[in-house]
Amino acid sequence: MSRSKFSAILHEKCPRCREGNIFTYPLSKVSRFSITNENCPVCNLRYEKEPGTFYGAMYVSYGFNVGMVVALFIATFTIGNDPHLMWYFIVIIPALILAAPFFFRYSRVLWLYFFSDVTYNPSLADKAQGTV
């Protein structure tokens, strides 16, 4: 049974076979969160087809950051009843630092899924699971 697109994105799987890991280490290994496999371990898709493939992912990450800053600003304003300016920094800056590995990884995953020319091939997923 093939994995859904949502599930594959959530679990950071290859966009072509939806089985191989895009990243070498899990997100919990914070010191190595950014190490990306060169090729998919299942279907051998090369993730970075040319230098600069993931430059566009920076814009996705930027969007994540802006969205979080706006949401935290509104939450701090509402909950704190317009507190002193320092409270905004105390809430927002640590949240941005903690979210950086998550945003980095998912911006790359979303970039591969939605802005690259890779299409899903269910026969590769079936081979990986041994059903063919």
Side-chain angles (χ1 to χ4, degrees):
M1 184 170 164
S2 64
R3 184 185 300 259
S4 71
K5 188 175 198 176
F6 178 76
S7 175
I9 290 171
L10 188 65
H11 293 101
E12 302 169 343
K13 299 295 182 182
C14 171
R16 185 164 71 181
C17 68
R18 296 184 184 168
E19 292 298 323
N21 291 326
I22 294 174
F23 294 96
T24 308
Y25 298 98
L27 185 57
S28 60
K29 186 105 173 156
V30 178
S31 63
R32 296 173 181 240
F33 74 89
S34 65
I35 299 174
T36 307
N37 288 323
E38 285 188 32
N39 297 325
C40 173
V42 175
C43 70
N44 206 31
L45 169 70
R46 182 163 173 77
Y47 293 127
E48 190 170 358
K49 294 184 187 252
E50 59 188 33
T53 297
F54 291 117
Y55 283 158
M58 291 187 302
Y59 294 103
V60 176
S61 180
Y62 177 74
F64 284 156
N65 282 298
V66 168
M68 187 170 80
V69 166
V70 169
L72 288 174
F73 180 87
I74 291 169
T76 304
F77 180 84
T78 304
I79 294 169
N81 198 18
D82 193 18
H84 187 269
L85 180 64
M86 185 56 67
W87 281 104
Y88 293 100
F89 290 109
I90 290 171
V91 170
I92 293 171
I93 290 176
L96 285 174
I97 291 169
L98 291 173
F102 177 82
F103 289 165
F104 175 87
R105 288 173 75 115
Y106 280 97
S107 65
R108 282 189 171 209
V109 170
L110 291 174
W111 187 258
L112 280 173
Y113 270 86
F114 295 110
F115 301 107
S116 68
D117 60 350
V118 178
T119 56
Y120 175 57
N121 186 343
S123 65
L124 293 171
D126 292 338
K127 281 183 190 175
Q129 294 173 357
T131 58
V132 174

